[in-house]
Each structure stands twice: as C-alpha cells, then as structure tokens.
Amino acid sequence: MSITKFNIGNIPAILLGEKSDKIYIFVHGKSGSKEEAKAFAEIACPKGYQVLGIDLPEHGERKNEFDTFYPWNAVFELIKVMEFAKENWNNIALRANSIGAWFSMLALSEENLSNCLFVSPILDMNKLILKMMSYADVSEEKLKSEKIIQTEFGETLSWKYYLYAKEHPVKWNHPTSILYAGCDNLTERFTVDEFVKRFNCKLSVMENGEHWFHTPEQLTVLRKWEEENI
C-alpha cells in the first residue's frame, strides 16, 4: 500500500492507497492519531478509495501542543482539510471516531459527502457536558463564575466550551452509518436512537461493546461493519 506523509498547512497528514478519484477523510478521537487510518485503509483501499488521516490538535505529531484541543480549533482545521480534499478528489467520504465525529459534523455539515461512517460518535456534546457537570456537582452558575473547573474523574469543565456546544447544535444531512457500543459510557442509547431517527441514519449496535473498540472481538465487529458499509 502506498503511504505518503505530508502537511496540510500546519496539520500533519498521511495519505494511504494508490491514486484514485475517491477519498475517505479519517478523523480520530481523543488520544488517537492519523496512523489509526492505516487499519481502515486496509479495507477501504481495495474498494478503490484512498484514505487521508490527520492529527488533530494535541495528538499524534502534535502531542506537545498545549491547550489547543477545542472544537473551535478542530473545526477550523477540518474545514482546511476538506478544502484540500476538494482540490484533489471528486468523491469525498468521511470516517470518524468519537469526538472526531462531533468535530466533523460541526465542520462539514454543508459539504458534499458521499458516505459517512461514525464509530462511537459523540452526537450531543451539550448533553454530555451537562452529564459531567451533574457527576461533578457543578451548576451552570458555578461554571459561569469559575470559568474552568477540574473534576475528580479527570475531565476539565469549561464555560467557554459549554457555551460553544450549546450554541452549535448539530445539523446533518448526509448518508451516515453508525456503529454504537451498548456499553458506551459517553453517549446513551436514547441519544443515538433519537439522532438516527432525526437524520435518517443506519445504526448497528454491538451490545457488549465499549466506547473504545479495542479488544479482538470488538475489532472483528468493527472491521466487518466497515467492510459492509464502505
């Protein structure tokens, strides 16, 4: 498989597969990197696609960055990546994980995407933040007053982030397939069902799966799902 590393502006990128007019943009989740695109490319490239992976802020080759992994930065960069893709490919599709799916929906809602594959996507960030605020016993008033609050379970609550999520609801109108884990601790099943119904998506569920698909059993389910939905 052909592998090329380069930068899109300041964004480290990897391009996999032989030259084609079809491309999947691969967007990793938290703690991921562009190299995760390689496993997906093993399935997508034989079907005639190339795969373009990128490092989001504070990830991969950018792990030494500080205080940049925010939606307003990621959205800006994904718009740049999409512009690059439109200059080089006619058929553009999307494969995204977790928070990468949320960033992608914010950035690419008005674009022409032929297919979208979401794994354990964050579909309602505002609801997720409210859940974390409840766990941490933090009211909206307290967060507004203190601006930044560190929680005991390792997440940082931010008033600016909360407002951004609240003011940027997802709008989505692309052919989309979702792989959801029944034991996902970030997104409830009813949130997924509501999203699927609202935006006419295709849903597959691994009932005993976790948010992070990583065990041999989970990865087998993931690869089979990718194979069937590309």
Side-chain angles (χ1 to χ4, degrees):
M1 182 189 306
S2 173
I3 301 176
T4 305
K5 290 188 176 183
F6 61 104
N7 278 33
I8 302 172
N10 67 324
I11 306 165
I14 186 171
L15 179 64
L16 302 121
E18 305 308 318
K19 186 171 177 59
S20 171
D21 65 347
K22 301 190 298 183
I23 188 83
Y24 264 94
I25 297 173
F26 186 97
V27 186
H28 64 75
K30 187 175 180 180
S31 301
S33 73
K34 63 184 180 301
E35 278 70 27
E36 289 182 15
K38 292 179 180 179
F40 177 67
E42 291 177 0
I43 297 174
C45 292
K47 295 179 179 291
Y49 288 89
Q50 290 182 279
V51 176
L52 175 66
I54 54 101
D55 284 331
L56 292 171
E58 295 187 48
H59 288 73
E61 293 180 37
R62 309 171 67 182
K63 62 185 178 182
N64 292 326
E65 292 182 2
F66 175 73
D67 206 30
T68 57
F69 190 58
Y70 297 114
W72 44 90
N73 294 329
V75 167
F76 174 76
E77 293 189 0
L78 286 170
I79 290 171
K80 288 172 61 176
V81 171
M82 186 65 187
E83 290 302 315
F84 173 80
K86 288 192 292 187
E87 292 172 0
N88 292 279
W89 291 274
N90 294 321
N91 182 317
I92 303 171
L94 174 66
R95 165 69 170 82
N97 290 334
S98 189
I99 196 171
W102 182 58
F103 291 157
S104 298
M105 288 188 287
L106 294 178
L108 308 178
S109 64
E110 301 300 320
E111 299 293 347
N112 182 20
L113 298 170
S114 62
N115 191 32
C116 302
L117 305 179
F118 292 162
V119 178
S120 300
I122 303 297
L123 300 172
D124 190 331
M125 180 59 79
N126 186 53
K127 188 180 294 183
L128 176 57
I129 293 173
L130 287 171
K131 182 167 69 172
M132 290 192 292
M133 288 169 62
S134 176
Y135 287 163
D137 194 24
V138 172
S139 66
E140 184 173 305
E141 292 73 22
K142 182 177 181 180
L143 186 58
K144 182 178 181 180
S145 173
E146 298 189 23
K147 307 302 182 189
I148 299 287
I149 296 176
Q150 301 293 338
T151 68
E152 293 182 355
F153 48 86
E155 295 293 338
T156 301
L157 296 172
S158 158
W159 175 248
K160 183 178 179 180
Y161 204 125
Y162 170 68
L163 283 185
Y164 185 96
K166 191 173 183 179
E167 294 169 358
H168 293 81
V170 166
K171 301 174 183 177
W172 198 243
N173 187 31
H174 302 292
T176 301
S177 297
I178 294 173
L179 178 59
Y180 175 73
C183 299
D184 194 316
N185 62 336
L186 297 181
T187 301
E188 293 87 353
R189 178 63 183 268
F190 70 84
T191 299
V192 176
D193 289 339
E194 181 182 78
F195 185 93
V196 166
K197 182 178 180 181
R198 181 181 178 191
F199 296 113
N200 193 30
C201 304
K202 179 181 176 183
L203 176 64
S204 299
V205 180
M206 183 181 182
E207 294 295 351
N208 62 336
E210 303 167 88
H211 180 79
W212 177 34
F213 280 72
H214 67 289
T215 68
E217 180 188 8
Q218 291 165 1
L219 291 175
T220 297
V221 170
L222 170 60
R223 300 310 171 207
K224 184 174 184 292
W225 173 82
E226 290 173 331
E227 183 76 41
E228 293 172 348
N229 287 281
I230 289 177

